[in-house]
mmCIF file of all heavy atoms in Angstrom:
data_model
loop_
_atom_site.group_PDB
_atom_site.id
_atom_site.type_symbol
_atom_site.label_atom_id
_atom_site.label_comp_id
_atom_site.label_asym_id
_atom_site.label_seq_id
_atom_site.Cartn_x
_atom_site.Cartn_y
_atom_site.Cartn_z
ATOM 1 N N LEU A 1 -28.192 10.868 -34.057
ATOM 2 C CA LEU A 1 -26.883 11.383 -34.483
ATOM 3 C C LEU A 1 -26.961 12.039 -35.823
ATOM 4 O O LEU A 1 -26.054 11.850 -36.671
ATOM 5 C CB LEU A 1 -25.812 10.313 -34.412
ATOM 6 C CG LEU A 1 -25.707 9.468 -33.153
ATOM 7 C CD1 LEU A 1 -24.467 8.569 -33.229
ATOM 8 C CD2 LEU A 1 -25.685 10.326 -31.915
ATOM 9 N N ASP A 2 -27.994 12.825 -36.081
ATOM 10 C CA ASP A 2 -28.175 13.499 -37.382
ATOM 11 C C ASP A 2 -27.372 14.804 -37.340
ATOM 12 O O ASP A 2 -27.948 15.922 -37.303
ATOM 13 C CB ASP A 2 -29.627 13.714 -37.663
ATOM 14 C CG ASP A 2 -29.875 13.976 -39.139
ATOM 15 O OD1 ASP A 2 -28.933 14.268 -39.862
ATOM 16 O OD2 ASP A 2 -31.083 13.911 -39.564
ATOM 17 N N PHE A 3 -26.070 14.689 -37.368
ATOM 18 C CA PHE A 3 -25.178 15.881 -37.345
ATOM 19 C C PHE A 3 -23.845 15.489 -37.907
ATOM 20 O O PHE A 3 -23.514 14.282 -38.052
ATOM 21 C CB PHE A 3 -24.990 16.382 -35.932
ATOM 22 C CG PHE A 3 -24.353 15.442 -34.958
ATOM 23 C CD1 PHE A 3 -22.947 15.305 -34.943
ATOM 24 C CD2 PHE A 3 -25.113 14.715 -34.083
ATOM 25 C CE1 PHE A 3 -22.342 14.418 -34.043
ATOM 26 C CE2 PHE A 3 -24.518 13.811 -33.188
ATOM 27 C CZ PHE A 3 -23.110 13.681 -33.152
ATOM 28 N N SER A 4 -23.052 16.491 -38.233
ATOM 29 C CA SER A 4 -21.676 16.279 -38.786
ATOM 30 C C SER A 4 -20.775 17.366 -38.331
ATOM 31 O O SER A 4 -21.208 18.511 -38.109
ATOM 32 C CB SER A 4 -21.740 16.222 -40.331
ATOM 33 O OG SER A 4 -22.531 15.167 -40.796
ATOM 34 N N CYS A 5 -19.487 17.075 -38.214
ATOM 35 C CA CYS A 5 -18.470 18.022 -37.777
ATOM 36 C C CYS A 5 -17.251 17.934 -38.695
ATOM 37 O O CYS A 5 -16.874 16.840 -39.159
ATOM 38 C CB CYS A 5 -18.048 17.780 -36.350
ATOM 39 S SG CYS A 5 -19.419 17.824 -35.153
ATOM 40 N N ALA A 6 -16.623 19.080 -38.967
ATOM 41 C CA ALA A 6 -15.484 19.119 -39.866
ATOM 42 C C ALA A 6 -14.590 20.278 -39.523
ATOM 43 O O ALA A 6 -14.989 21.250 -38.855
ATOM 44 C CB ALA A 6 -15.956 19.194 -41.332
ATOM 45 N N VAL A 7 -13.328 20.195 -40.054
ATOM 46 C CA VAL A 7 -12.349 21.303 -39.952
ATOM 47 C C VAL A 7 -11.967 21.732 -41.357
ATOM 48 O O VAL A 7 -11.771 20.914 -42.242
ATOM 49 C CB VAL A 7 -11.084 20.776 -39.198
ATOM 50 C CG1 VAL A 7 -9.994 21.813 -39.268
ATOM 51 C CG2 VAL A 7 -11.446 20.472 -37.737
ATOM 52 N N PHE A 8 -11.857 23.042 -41.550
ATOM 53 C CA PHE A 8 -11.448 23.642 -42.819
ATOM 54 C C PHE A 8 -10.276 24.563 -42.626
ATOM 55 O O PHE A 8 -10.022 25.056 -41.517
ATOM 56 C CB PHE A 8 -12.639 24.406 -43.416
ATOM 57 C CG PHE A 8 -13.797 23.577 -43.822
ATOM 58 C CD1 PHE A 8 -14.724 23.139 -42.884
ATOM 59 C CD2 PHE A 8 -13.981 23.171 -45.122
ATOM 60 C CE1 PHE A 8 -15.824 22.328 -43.253
ATOM 61 C CE2 PHE A 8 -15.036 22.372 -45.508
ATOM 62 C CZ PHE A 8 -15.956 21.965 -44.584
ATOM 63 N N ASP A 9 -9.570 24.791 -43.731
ATOM 64 C CA ASP A 9 -8.440 25.745 -43.624
ATOM 65 C C ASP A 9 -8.947 27.179 -43.804
ATOM 66 O O ASP A 9 -10.140 27.394 -43.977
ATOM 67 C CB ASP A 9 -7.310 25.357 -44.605
ATOM 68 C CG ASP A 9 -7.672 25.553 -46.076
ATOM 69 O OD1 ASP A 9 -8.712 26.215 -46.357
ATOM 70 O OD2 ASP A 9 -6.947 25.048 -46.952
ATOM 71 N N ALA A 10 -7.995 28.131 -43.813
ATOM 72 C CA ALA A 10 -8.402 29.527 -43.845
ATOM 73 C C ALA A 10 -9.066 29.904 -45.178
ATOM 74 O O ALA A 10 -9.812 30.915 -45.227
ATOM 75 C CB ALA A 10 -7.200 30.413 -43.598
ATOM 76 N N ALA A 11 -8.886 29.143 -46.215
ATOM 77 C CA ALA A 11 -9.505 29.398 -47.502
ATOM 78 C C ALA A 11 -10.807 28.684 -47.668
ATOM 79 O O ALA A 11 -11.506 28.802 -48.701
ATOM 80 C CB ALA A 11 -8.566 28.998 -48.644
ATOM 81 N N GLY A 12 -11.240 27.890 -46.691
ATOM 82 C CA GLY A 12 -12.483 27.126 -46.772
ATOM 83 C C GLY A 12 -12.332 25.769 -47.419
ATOM 84 O O GLY A 12 -13.329 25.154 -47.829
ATOM 85 N N GLU A 13 -11.100 25.240 -47.491
ATOM 86 C CA GLU A 13 -10.868 23.902 -48.064
ATOM 87 C C GLU A 13 -10.914 22.867 -46.910
ATOM 88 O O GLU A 13 -10.397 23.095 -45.826
ATOM 89 C CB GLU A 13 -9.514 23.823 -48.755
ATOM 90 C CG GLU A 13 -9.373 24.752 -49.965
ATOM 91 C CD GLU A 13 -10.156 24.253 -51.153
ATOM 92 O OE1 GLU A 13 -10.658 23.115 -51.097
ATOM 93 O OE2 GLU A 13 -10.253 25.014 -52.149
ATOM 94 N N LEU A 14 -11.539 21.716 -47.208
ATOM 95 C CA LEU A 14 -11.726 20.695 -46.179
ATOM 96 C C LEU A 14 -10.364 20.138 -45.733
ATOM 97 O O LEU A 14 -9.537 19.777 -46.560
ATOM 98 C CB LEU A 14 -12.586 19.574 -46.765
ATOM 99 C CG LEU A 14 -12.871 18.350 -45.837
ATOM 100 C CD1 LEU A 14 -13.740 18.807 -44.657
ATOM 101 C CD2 LEU A 14 -13.576 17.241 -46.588
ATOM 102 N N CYS A 15 -10.197 20.042 -44.411
ATOM 103 C CA CYS A 15 -8.977 19.451 -43.819
ATOM 104 C C CYS A 15 -9.236 18.100 -43.181
ATOM 105 O O CYS A 15 -8.415 17.210 -43.279
ATOM 106 C CB CYS A 15 -8.412 20.396 -42.754
ATOM 107 S SG CYS A 15 -8.003 22.037 -43.303
ATOM 108 N N ALA A 16 -10.369 17.958 -42.511
ATOM 109 C CA ALA A 16 -10.706 16.721 -41.841
ATOM 110 C C ALA A 16 -12.180 16.699 -41.503
ATOM 111 O O ALA A 16 -12.839 17.741 -41.398
ATOM 112 C CB ALA A 16 -9.891 16.562 -40.587
ATOM 113 N N GLN A 17 -12.697 15.466 -41.298
ATOM 114 C CA GLN A 17 -14.089 15.327 -40.952
ATOM 115 C C GLN A 17 -14.241 14.069 -40.101
ATOM 116 O O GLN A 17 -13.426 13.125 -40.253
ATOM 117 C CB GLN A 17 -15.002 15.264 -42.164
ATOM 118 C CG GLN A 17 -14.731 14.062 -43.074
ATOM 119 C CD GLN A 17 -15.541 14.107 -44.374
ATOM 120 O OE1 GLN A 17 -15.710 15.142 -44.958
ATOM 121 N NE2 GLN A 17 -15.999 12.957 -44.786
ATOM 122 N N ALA A 18 -15.270 14.032 -39.305
ATOM 123 C CA ALA A 18 -15.579 12.803 -38.563
ATOM 124 C C ALA A 18 -16.442 11.913 -39.456
ATOM 125 O O ALA A 18 -16.988 12.356 -40.499
ATOM 126 C CB ALA A 18 -16.314 13.125 -37.277
ATOM 127 N N ALA A 19 -16.595 10.693 -39.111
ATOM 128 C CA ALA A 19 -17.399 9.724 -39.902
ATOM 129 C C ALA A 19 -18.891 9.935 -39.598
ATOM 130 O O ALA A 19 -19.514 9.096 -38.945
ATOM 131 C CB ALA A 19 -16.960 8.294 -39.619
ATOM 132 N N HIS A 20 -19.403 11.053 -40.034
ATOM 133 C CA HIS A 20 -20.790 11.379 -39.759
ATOM 134 C C HIS A 20 -21.649 11.220 -40.983
ATOM 135 O O HIS A 20 -21.758 10.108 -41.539
ATOM 136 C CB HIS A 20 -20.840 12.802 -39.181
ATOM 137 C CG HIS A 20 -20.243 12.912 -37.831
ATOM 138 N ND1 HIS A 20 -19.654 14.077 -37.307
ATOM 139 C CD2 HIS A 20 -20.053 11.997 -36.830
ATOM 140 C CE1 HIS A 20 -19.195 13.873 -36.079
ATOM 141 N NE2 HIS A 20 -19.457 12.619 -35.778
ATOM 142 N N ILE A 21 -22.341 12.237 -41.507
ATOM 143 C CA ILE A 21 -23.350 12.085 -42.529
ATOM 144 C C ILE A 21 -22.778 12.516 -43.882
ATOM 145 O O ILE A 21 -22.422 13.704 -44.094
ATOM 146 C CB ILE A 21 -24.596 12.974 -42.215
ATOM 147 C CG1 ILE A 21 -25.036 12.793 -40.776
ATOM 148 C CG2 ILE A 21 -25.710 12.683 -43.178
ATOM 149 C CD1 ILE A 21 -25.479 11.397 -40.425
ATOM 150 N N PRO A 22 -22.686 11.605 -44.859
ATOM 151 C CA PRO A 22 -22.061 11.937 -46.164
ATOM 152 C C PRO A 22 -22.658 13.136 -46.846
ATOM 153 O O PRO A 22 -21.928 13.973 -47.405
ATOM 154 C CB PRO A 22 -22.220 10.695 -46.951
ATOM 155 C CG PRO A 22 -22.262 9.577 -45.980
ATOM 156 C CD PRO A 22 -23.013 10.152 -44.764
ATOM 157 N N VAL A 23 -23.992 13.307 -46.814
ATOM 158 C CA VAL A 23 -24.605 14.406 -47.563
ATOM 159 C C VAL A 23 -24.273 15.748 -46.864
ATOM 160 O O VAL A 23 -24.145 16.789 -47.536
ATOM 161 C CB VAL A 23 -26.131 14.223 -47.704
ATOM 162 C CG1 VAL A 23 -26.839 14.466 -46.424
ATOM 163 C CG2 VAL A 23 -26.689 15.152 -48.814
ATOM 164 N N HIS A 24 -24.108 15.757 -45.580
ATOM 165 C CA HIS A 24 -23.649 16.969 -44.859
ATOM 166 C C HIS A 24 -22.243 17.324 -45.280
ATOM 167 O O HIS A 24 -21.934 18.477 -45.645
ATOM 168 C CB HIS A 24 -23.705 16.775 -43.330
ATOM 169 C CG HIS A 24 -25.056 16.690 -42.738
ATOM 170 N ND1 HIS A 24 -25.268 16.436 -41.412
ATOM 171 C CD2 HIS A 24 -26.277 16.821 -43.300
ATOM 172 C CE1 HIS A 24 -26.546 16.422 -41.141
ATOM 173 N NE2 HIS A 24 -27.174 16.663 -42.274
ATOM 174 N N LEU A 25 -21.381 16.329 -45.143
ATOM 175 C CA LEU A 25 -19.941 16.590 -45.236
ATOM 176 C C LEU A 25 -19.528 16.944 -46.646
ATOM 177 O O LEU A 25 -18.774 17.888 -46.902
ATOM 178 C CB LEU A 25 -19.178 15.369 -44.740
ATOM 179 C CG LEU A 25 -19.424 15.087 -43.235
ATOM 180 C CD1 LEU A 25 -18.972 13.664 -42.883
ATOM 181 C CD2 LEU A 25 -18.663 16.119 -42.396
ATOM 182 N N GLY A 26 -20.017 16.187 -47.660
ATOM 183 C CA GLY A 26 -19.657 16.509 -49.027
ATOM 184 C C GLY A 26 -20.157 17.859 -49.484
ATOM 185 O O GLY A 26 -19.472 18.598 -50.215
ATOM 186 N N SER A 27 -21.371 18.217 -49.050
ATOM 187 C CA SER A 27 -21.906 19.535 -49.473
ATOM 188 C C SER A 27 -21.148 20.671 -48.778
ATOM 189 O O SER A 27 -20.920 21.690 -49.411
ATOM 190 C CB SER A 27 -23.409 19.606 -49.119
ATOM 191 O OG SER A 27 -23.636 19.336 -47.751
ATOM 192 N N MET A 28 -20.702 20.472 -47.544
ATOM 193 C CA MET A 28 -19.902 21.478 -46.918
ATOM 194 C C MET A 28 -18.553 21.647 -47.630
ATOM 195 O O MET A 28 -18.051 22.730 -47.829
ATOM 196 C CB MET A 28 -19.659 21.132 -45.443
ATOM 197 C CG MET A 28 -20.854 21.373 -44.534
ATOM 198 S SD MET A 28 -20.463 21.401 -42.779
ATOM 199 C CE MET A 28 -20.120 19.661 -42.439
ATOM 200 N N ALA A 29 -17.960 20.497 -47.982
ATOM 201 C CA ALA A 29 -16.690 20.513 -48.704
ATOM 202 C C ALA A 29 -16.792 21.295 -50.017
ATOM 203 O O ALA A 29 -15.851 22.041 -50.423
ATOM 204 C CB ALA A 29 -16.196 19.107 -48.956
ATOM 205 N N TYR A 30 -17.939 21.149 -50.707
ATOM 206 C CA TYR A 30 -18.132 21.813 -51.966
ATOM 207 C C TYR A 30 -18.360 23.318 -51.834
ATOM 208 O O TYR A 30 -17.899 24.105 -52.657
ATOM 209 C CB TYR A 30 -19.292 21.164 -52.688
ATOM 210 C CG TYR A 30 -19.517 21.666 -54.119
ATOM 211 C CD1 TYR A 30 -18.763 21.169 -55.163
ATOM 212 C CD2 TYR A 30 -20.445 22.644 -54.385
ATOM 213 C CE1 TYR A 30 -18.973 21.613 -56.440
ATOM 214 C CE2 TYR A 30 -20.651 23.108 -55.695
ATOM 215 C CZ TYR A 30 -19.888 22.581 -56.716
ATOM 216 O OH TYR A 30 -20.080 23.060 -57.980
ATOM 217 N N ALA A 31 -19.080 23.726 -50.773
ATOM 218 C CA ALA A 31 -19.611 25.076 -50.717
ATOM 219 C C ALA A 31 -18.860 26.033 -49.760
ATOM 220 O O ALA A 31 -19.063 27.211 -49.818
ATOM 221 C CB ALA A 31 -21.062 25.039 -50.293
ATOM 222 N N MET A 32 -17.998 25.512 -48.895
ATOM 223 C CA MET A 32 -17.470 26.295 -47.835
ATOM 224 C C MET A 32 -16.570 27.437 -48.307
ATOM 225 O O MET A 32 -16.585 28.531 -47.697
ATOM 226 C CB MET A 32 -16.704 25.390 -46.856
ATOM 227 C CG MET A 32 -16.397 26.050 -45.508
ATOM 228 S SD MET A 32 -17.896 26.541 -44.603
ATOM 229 C CE MET A 32 -18.769 24.983 -44.453
ATOM 230 N N ARG A 33 -15.785 27.257 -49.347
ATOM 231 C CA ARG A 33 -14.926 28.319 -49.807
ATOM 232 C C ARG A 33 -15.730 29.572 -50.141
ATOM 233 O O ARG A 33 -15.386 30.681 -49.748
ATOM 234 C CB ARG A 33 -14.150 27.850 -51.038
ATOM 235 C CG ARG A 33 -13.297 28.940 -51.700
ATOM 236 C CD ARG A 33 -12.668 28.493 -52.984
ATOM 237 N NE ARG A 33 -11.489 27.612 -52.704
ATOM 238 C CZ ARG A 33 -10.281 28.083 -52.498
ATOM 239 N NH1 ARG A 33 -10.057 29.407 -52.528
ATOM 240 N NH2 ARG A 33 -9.281 27.282 -52.280
ATOM 241 N N ASP A 34 -16.813 29.410 -50.874
ATOM 242 C CA ASP A 34 -17.636 30.582 -51.261
ATOM 243 C C ASP A 34 -18.358 31.155 -50.052
ATOM 244 O O ASP A 34 -18.672 32.335 -50.032
ATOM 245 C CB ASP A 34 -18.648 30.167 -52.331
ATOM 246 C CG ASP A 34 -17.996 29.885 -53.678
ATOM 247 O OD1 ASP A 34 -16.880 30.323 -53.898
ATOM 248 O OD2 ASP A 34 -18.624 29.105 -54.445
ATOM 249 N N LEU A 35 -18.635 30.321 -49.067
ATOM 250 C CA LEU A 35 -19.394 30.736 -47.893
ATOM 251 C C LEU A 35 -18.517 31.605 -46.945
ATOM 252 O O LEU A 35 -18.976 32.639 -46.463
ATOM 253 C CB LEU A 35 -19.896 29.540 -47.160
ATOM 254 C CG LEU A 35 -20.952 29.726 -46.061
ATOM 255 C CD1 LEU A 35 -22.178 30.452 -46.630
ATOM 256 C CD2 LEU A 35 -21.400 28.375 -45.518
ATOM 257 N N VAL A 36 -17.278 31.206 -46.727
ATOM 258 C CA VAL A 36 -16.464 31.902 -45.729
ATOM 259 C C VAL A 36 -15.671 33.066 -46.313
ATOM 260 O O VAL A 36 -15.248 33.973 -45.608
ATOM 261 C CB VAL A 36 -15.497 30.939 -45.027
ATOM 262 C CG1 VAL A 36 -16.278 29.823 -44.348
ATOM 263 C CG2 VAL A 36 -14.457 30.370 -45.948
ATOM 264 N N GLY A 37 -15.481 33.097 -47.632
ATOM 265 C CA GLY A 37 -14.621 34.063 -48.262
ATOM 266 C C GLY A 37 -15.079 35.492 -48.044
ATOM 267 O O GLY A 37 -14.256 36.359 -47.714
ATOM 268 N N PRO A 38 -16.378 35.835 -48.231
ATOM 269 C CA PRO A 38 -16.778 37.227 -48.149
ATOM 270 C C PRO A 38 -16.940 37.776 -46.713
ATOM 271 O O PRO A 38 -17.235 38.961 -46.558
ATOM 272 C CB PRO A 38 -18.155 37.213 -48.838
ATOM 273 C CG PRO A 38 -18.268 35.896 -49.526
ATOM 274 C CD PRO A 38 -17.453 34.996 -48.746
ATOM 275 N N VAL A 39 -16.773 36.962 -45.717
ATOM 276 C CA VAL A 39 -17.095 37.355 -44.328
ATOM 277 C C VAL A 39 -15.916 38.085 -43.683
ATOM 278 O O VAL A 39 -14.748 37.659 -43.841
ATOM 279 C CB VAL A 39 -17.495 36.126 -43.495
ATOM 280 C CG1 VAL A 39 -17.804 36.544 -42.060
ATOM 281 C CG2 VAL A 39 -18.701 35.427 -44.119
ATOM 282 N N ASP A 40 -16.193 39.117 -42.894
ATOM 283 C CA ASP A 40 -15.183 39.821 -42.117
ATOM 284 C C ASP A 40 -15.096 39.105 -40.783
ATOM 285 O O ASP A 40 -15.796 39.382 -39.855
ATOM 286 C CB ASP A 40 -15.589 41.274 -41.955
ATOM 287 C CG ASP A 40 -14.616 42.032 -41.066
ATOM 288 O OD1 ASP A 40 -13.446 41.641 -40.971
ATOM 289 O OD2 ASP A 40 -15.031 43.056 -40.448
ATOM 290 N N TRP A 41 -14.115 38.190 -40.644
ATOM 291 C CA TRP A 41 -14.009 37.334 -39.451
ATOM 292 C C TRP A 41 -13.217 37.997 -38.339
ATOM 293 O O TRP A 41 -12.250 38.742 -38.636
ATOM 294 C CB TRP A 41 -13.371 36.004 -39.815
ATOM 295 C CG TRP A 41 -14.192 35.178 -40.742
ATOM 296 C CD1 TRP A 41 -13.987 35.031 -42.081
ATOM 297 C CD2 TRP A 41 -15.309 34.383 -40.416
ATOM 298 N NE1 TRP A 41 -14.922 34.143 -42.605
ATOM 299 C CE2 TRP A 41 -15.777 33.772 -41.600
ATOM 300 C CE3 TRP A 41 -15.994 34.142 -39.213
ATOM 301 C CZ2 TRP A 41 -16.860 32.914 -41.645
ATOM 302 C CZ3 TRP A 41 -17.078 33.241 -39.252
ATOM 303 C CH2 TRP A 41 -17.509 32.706 -40.437
ATOM 304 N N ALA A 42 -13.578 37.705 -37.138
ATOM 305 C CA ALA A 42 -12.851 38.127 -35.967
ATOM 306 C C ALA A 42 -12.888 37.010 -34.927
ATOM 307 O O ALA A 42 -13.814 36.174 -34.941
ATOM 308 C CB ALA A 42 -13.448 39.392 -35.356
ATOM 309 N N PRO A 43 -11.952 36.976 -33.976
ATOM 310 C CA PRO A 43 -11.966 35.941 -32.943
ATOM 311 C C PRO A 43 -13.258 35.992 -32.139
ATOM 312 O O PRO A 43 -13.768 37.071 -31.806
ATOM 313 C CB PRO A 43 -10.754 36.294 -32.053
ATOM 314 C CG PRO A 43 -9.836 37.026 -32.979
ATOM 315 C CD PRO A 43 -10.710 37.801 -33.902
ATOM 316 N N GLY A 44 -13.852 34.826 -31.881
ATOM 317 C CA GLY A 44 -15.099 34.769 -31.158
ATOM 318 C C GLY A 44 -16.358 34.851 -31.954
ATOM 319 O O GLY A 44 -17.461 34.715 -31.479
ATOM 320 N N ASP A 45 -16.174 35.025 -33.279
ATOM 321 C CA ASP A 45 -17.344 35.056 -34.170
ATOM 322 C C ASP A 45 -17.942 33.664 -34.342
ATOM 323 O O ASP A 45 -17.233 32.630 -34.230
ATOM 324 C CB ASP A 45 -16.985 35.588 -35.551
ATOM 325 C CG ASP A 45 -16.728 37.090 -35.566
ATOM 326 O OD1 ASP A 45 -16.970 37.730 -34.499
ATOM 327 O OD2 ASP A 45 -16.254 37.603 -36.588
ATOM 328 N N MET A 46 -19.214 33.610 -34.696
ATOM 329 C CA MET A 46 -19.842 32.370 -35.112
ATOM 330 C C MET A 46 -20.933 32.705 -36.127
ATOM 331 O O MET A 46 -21.821 33.550 -35.799
ATOM 332 C CB MET A 46 -20.373 31.548 -33.915
ATOM 333 C CG MET A 46 -20.345 30.058 -34.217
ATOM 334 S SD MET A 46 -20.667 29.008 -32.728
ATOM 335 C CE MET A 46 -19.181 29.365 -31.733
ATOM 336 N N LEU A 47 -20.874 32.109 -37.268
ATOM 337 C CA LEU A 47 -21.830 32.347 -38.337
ATOM 338 C C LEU A 47 -22.818 31.202 -38.370
ATOM 339 O O LEU A 47 -22.464 30.034 -38.160
ATOM 340 C CB LEU A 47 -21.091 32.422 -39.684
ATOM 341 C CG LEU A 47 -21.777 33.161 -40.837
ATOM 342 C CD1 LEU A 47 -21.729 34.665 -40.586
ATOM 343 C CD2 LEU A 47 -21.112 32.845 -42.161
ATOM 344 N N ILE A 48 -24.088 31.532 -38.655
ATOM 345 C CA ILE A 48 -25.138 30.522 -38.788
ATOM 346 C C ILE A 48 -25.779 30.659 -40.184
ATOM 347 O O ILE A 48 -25.928 31.769 -40.716
ATOM 348 C CB ILE A 48 -26.199 30.671 -37.678
ATOM 349 C CG1 ILE A 48 -27.238 29.558 -37.713
ATOM 350 C CG2 ILE A 48 -26.880 32.038 -37.778
ATOM 351 C CD1 ILE A 48 -28.161 29.531 -36.498
#
């Protein structure tokens, strides 16, 4: 179970997370705003 899942708002701020891996979740919470901001998003997209 070396994985984590979370939900973020449209600005990349953390909304919720499952009780998964702390180092995954905290780092996503810190970095997601800068990660999603510059992207041109459309329905059906998935970024890796």
Side-chain angles (χ1 to χ4, degrees):
L1 311 188
D2 198 345
F3 62 81
S4 298
C5 302
V7 171
F8 293 81
D9 69 14
E13 297 286 351
L14 180 66
C15 302
Q17 63 187 39
H20 291 153
I21 312 298
V23 73
H24 289 176
L25 296 164
S27 55
M28 286 196 288
Y30 185 83
M32 196 59 59
R33 174 185 284 273
D34 292 338
L35 193 55
V36 302
V39 179
D40 178 24
W41 295 102
D45 288 352
M46 210 168 292
L47 202 75
I48 186 170

